[in-house]
Amino acid sequence: MPHYAPQSELETHTVSNQPKAFGDVDLFASDKALKGAVEKAGGGVHAAKLSEFGKRCGAFETQDWSRQAQENLPKLKSFDRFGHRLDEVEFHPAYHNLMSLGLDSGLSASAWNEGEAGHVLHGAMMILMNQADAGVTCPMSMTYACVPALQSTPEIADAWIPRVQASSYDPNFIPADRKTGVTIGMAMTEKQGGSDVRANTTRAVPDGQGGYILTGHKWFCSAPMSDAFLTLAYTDEGLTCFLVPRWKPDGTRNGIHVMRLKDKMGDKSNASSEIEYHGAWAERLGEEGRGVRTIIDMVQHTRYDCILGSTGGIRAALVQALWHTSQRRAFQKALIDQPAMRAVLADLVIESEAATAIAMRVGASLDRMATDEHEAAFMRLATPLAKYWVCKRQPGFVYEALECHGGAGYVEEGPMPRLYRQSPLNAIWEGSGNVIALDVLRALSREPDSLEAVQAELKKPLGRHHAYDAHVGRLADYLTPGNLHEGTARGFARDAALALQGAALHEMAPDFVFDAFCAQRLASDRNGLLYGDVSPDVDQGRLIERAIPAV
């Protein structure tokens, strides 16, 4: 779709010193960090597919879909005009275009369909799709992540996994067995419990025919137009996981009633809701009373997607800052050539590089874990560590990228306000900071092999940079008996994640990027409180040159 320049010669003045519109760019090929990390993680075989997807995500047309989907919010249709219950959500056509872009390209299915580096492929696609529109990635993520939970019950897996793996978006509100592909949602959180899912009050009773009848309220149900939902409810045996389809086996609508849509700070294109189960029919997933155990593998995959979502949001903000400052001039220089701005941009590049590297390293561990015990153990601890740190870094990063635009970054016509409002989401989704830090403590106590796997990873770059060596040495102090507890869990999560980012960069990025990260993030004299306070050991020019997208 061509992008025509607007009129710049006006009666009162000439519009000048403004950057060109950014679009019609291959977001994969122009991202050297992502391209290199995919290659190092074993996903080079997918480069052509990712380049094609990157072009579609970077198209002006896709940008316009995102704008329309963000401005024309989902609408709840509770009843039809005759008073019949509907519980349907109506979306702007642009939302459906974005959903088709992701799902038809295999974003949710590739990890399970591709024999080689499927999770790395999924990860790169998720990073790219988040740059196109972050809101629609929520149902895509849950559809991807549901597979391990579905596999806990073979008869359910046989029916539903082929629909998940179909790589087809079918927006029709009809029973799943009549659709070309499905999406899967989650409804876990309740008002009184939040992250404490064991405070659940939803009840499930057998229907006498192999199914269950659910009654209860779910305070957060994302993507309520999904074809089925994973949910938790109590039976007499304890907290149990269930699959609740939108349609009953007899072809009638299930008792899932959408009470209202959430008015959220960001994530506007995606519908999130409060729902109630009024005698909703469900199938049990996994063992009765073992609901948390059934969903735990799904949680690891959605946490992976949180890392990817923040990595994509960070890259999107960085690109906008680089693009704007490379073309906007002040005091006879491009902003990007002003020393103070150049230091800020180089620091932002370091953050984006580190997020990309650790994201792809976690993806590689997901690909390898079935046949490699070390990788499986690494994944169990590295995933929450990376989720904790990368997602926490996103809001401050996006703010700094916004400030690079000056006042132009603060107006709604541009992309920065949307990126900023979106930025806190992934740090909250699938466990906010304290929850993740405590999960890290539990992993250390219950699965000591996960710590051993991470420690083995951290040994690989030893001797390459003095700041890295010293940081890993300080990290070991946490493991002294009595030093690691709930009060120090966040500090350990931060420092362990930083060490893992360094190790990932050593494996996946050029030496000058690894050296810059060590000097800027790990040296004892760098407090990291402000972007742009850059170590003299950082090669700012090479970092920026590597990161700036060529169009």
Side-chain angles (χ1 to χ4, degrees), residues 32 67 92 95 99 104 154 156 173 255 263 327 339-340 385 388 400 402 413 466 475 482:
K32 294 177 183 176
R67 178 190 62 78
H92 189 273
Y95 170 88
M99 290 290 288
D104 292 352
I156 295 178
F173 187 49
D263 186 6
Q327 298 177 66
L385 287 172
Y388 175 86
E400 199 69 56
L402 185 155
E413 288 91 342
H466 63 89
L475 185 63

Side-chain angles (χ1 to χ4, degrees), residues 16 19 58 62-63 67 104-105 123 150 248 275 294-295 318 325 395 415 446 462 469 502 513 521 525-526:
S16 61
T62 303
Q63 290 183 20
R67 178 190 62 78
D104 292 352
S105 298
L150 296 177
K248 296 179 183 179
I275 65 169
T294 301
I295 65 169
L318 174 64
T325 58
R446 297 176 185 177
L462 288 176
D469 295 353
V513 178
R521 295 290 183 270
D525 62 341
R526 315 305 301 174

Side-chain angles (χ1 to χ4, degrees), residues 137-286:
T137 62
C138 178
M140 297 177 193
S141 172
M142 293 184 293
T143 303
Y144 150 73
C146 74
V147 171
L150 296 177
Q151 288 173 334
S152 67
T153 306
E155 57 271 26
I156 295 178
D158 290 345
W160 284 91
I161 290 180
R163 300 166 185 164
V164 168
Q165 295 178 317
S167 294
S168 175
Y169 175 59
D170 187 339
N172 294 301
F173 187 49
I174 55 178
D177 60 3
R178 294 168 49 195
K179 299 186 69 167
T180 61
V182 299
T183 56
I184 305 294
M186 294 172 67
M188 305 288 181
T189 307
E190 297 188 0
K191 292 176 183 176
Q192 71 285 347
S195 295
D196 182 8
V197 294
R198 295 191 183 278
N200 207 305
T201 63
T202 299
R203 300 293 302 179
V205 296
D207 68 355
Q209 300 177 2
Y212 288 77
I213 302 300
L214 273 56
T215 303
H217 180 101
K218 295 296 179 180
W219 188 67
F220 218 101
C221 171
S222 195
M225 284 308 292
S226 297
D227 297 285
F229 304 91
L230 292 182
T231 198
L232 293 172
Y234 273 103
T235 69
D236 290 341
E237 298 297 320
L239 193 61
T240 303
C241 186
F242 294 92
L243 183 73
V244 191
R246 286 301 302 262
W247 296 82
K248 296 179 183 179
D250 64 3
T252 60
R253 295 177 187 235
N254 207 356
I256 305 170
H257 294 159
V258 182
M259 309 312 291
R260 65 169 177 165
L261 299 185
K262 297 286 192 182
D263 186 6
K264 298 166 295 182
M265 172 178 159
D267 206 46
K268 296 289 189 180
S269 56
N270 176 46
S272 299
S273 64
E274 294 181 35
I275 65 169
E276 289 185 354
Y277 297 133
H278 296 161
W281 182 85
E283 294 182 278
R284 176 169 56 83
L285 274 174

Side-chain angles (χ1 to χ4, degrees), residues 278-551:
H278 296 161
W281 182 85
E283 294 182 278
R284 176 169 56 83
L285 274 174
E287 297 179 41
E288 197 167 347
R290 299 275 290 171
V292 174
R293 177 61 261 174
T294 301
I295 65 169
I296 198 68
D297 288 337
M298 180 180 184
V299 169
Q300 286 289 74
H301 287 80
T302 50
R303 285 179 177 175
Y304 174 45
D305 276 354
C306 289
I307 303 166
L308 300 167
S310 285
T311 300
I314 283 170
R315 174 64 185 177
L318 174 64
V319 165
Q320 292 296 331
L322 291 169
W323 188 251
H324 180 86
T325 58
S326 66
Q327 298 177 66
R328 176 80 168 173
R329 298 182 63 83
F331 310 110
Q332 292 78 52
K333 286 184 180 180
L335 289 176
I336 201 170
D337 294 325
Q338 303 282 359
M341 179 64 77
R342 198 163 185 78
V344 169
L345 293 170
D347 212 350
L348 293 176
V349 172
I350 292 171
E351 196 72 42
S352 181
E353 289 264 8
T356 302
I358 190 61
M360 290 297 96
R361 179 63 186 92
V362 171
S365 71
L366 287 166
D367 282 319
R368 300 165 185 165
M369 67 179 184
T371 58
D372 189 325
E373 292 182 2
H374 167 82
E375 291 290 334
F378 174 83
M379 181 276 299
R380 289 195 295 272
L381 183 55
T383 302
L385 287 172
K387 193 273 187 192
Y388 175 86
W389 187 240
V390 174
C391 297
K392 278 207 170 300
R393 297 293 282 176
Q394 187 183 0
F397 183 102
V398 176
Y399 156 71
E400 199 69 56
L402 185 155
E403 189 178 301
C404 291
H405 294 71
Y410 200 67
V411 294
E412 289 292 343
E413 288 91 342
M416 297 311 299
R418 171 174 58 84
L419 292 174
Y420 186 64
R421 286 193 299 269
Q422 187 76 25
S423 64
L425 174 66
N426 290 303
I428 298 169
W429 185 252
E430 289 301 355
S432 54
N434 287 341
V435 172
I436 299 297
L438 295 178
D439 279 356
V440 167
L441 288 188
R442 279 189 284 272
L444 293 175
S445 63
R446 297 176 185 177
E447 300 177 276
D449 61 330
S450 66
L451 175 61
E452 293 170 4
V454 166
Q455 288 174 321
E457 191 84 5
L458 299 183
K459 288 179 181 178
K460 295 176 182 178
L462 288 176
R464 274 284 293 109
H465 197 287
H466 63 89
Y468 178 87
D469 295 353
H471 181 83
V472 172
R474 292 191 296 270
L475 185 63
D477 294 340
Y478 283 101
L479 304 179
T480 301
N483 284 359
L484 188 55
H485 47 77
E486 290 189 9
T488 58
R490 286 170 72 107
F492 174 79
R494 173 200 62 212
D495 290 344
L498 282 166
L500 280 172
Q501 285 185 322
L505 284 169
H506 178 258
E507 178 182 347
M508 296 183 171
D511 287 347
F512 75 88
V513 178
F514 170 75
D515 291 341
F517 177 83
C518 293
Q520 191 64 11
R521 295 290 183 270
L522 304 184
S524 59
D525 62 341
R526 315 305 301 174
N527 59 29
L529 294 179
L530 286 175
Y531 288 107
D533 177 18
V534 177
S535 166
D537 296 330
V538 169
D539 191 335
Q540 299 179 25
R542 289 182 75 187
L543 287 167
I544 292 172
E545 182 182 3
R546 172 172 156 84
I548 195 165
V551 179

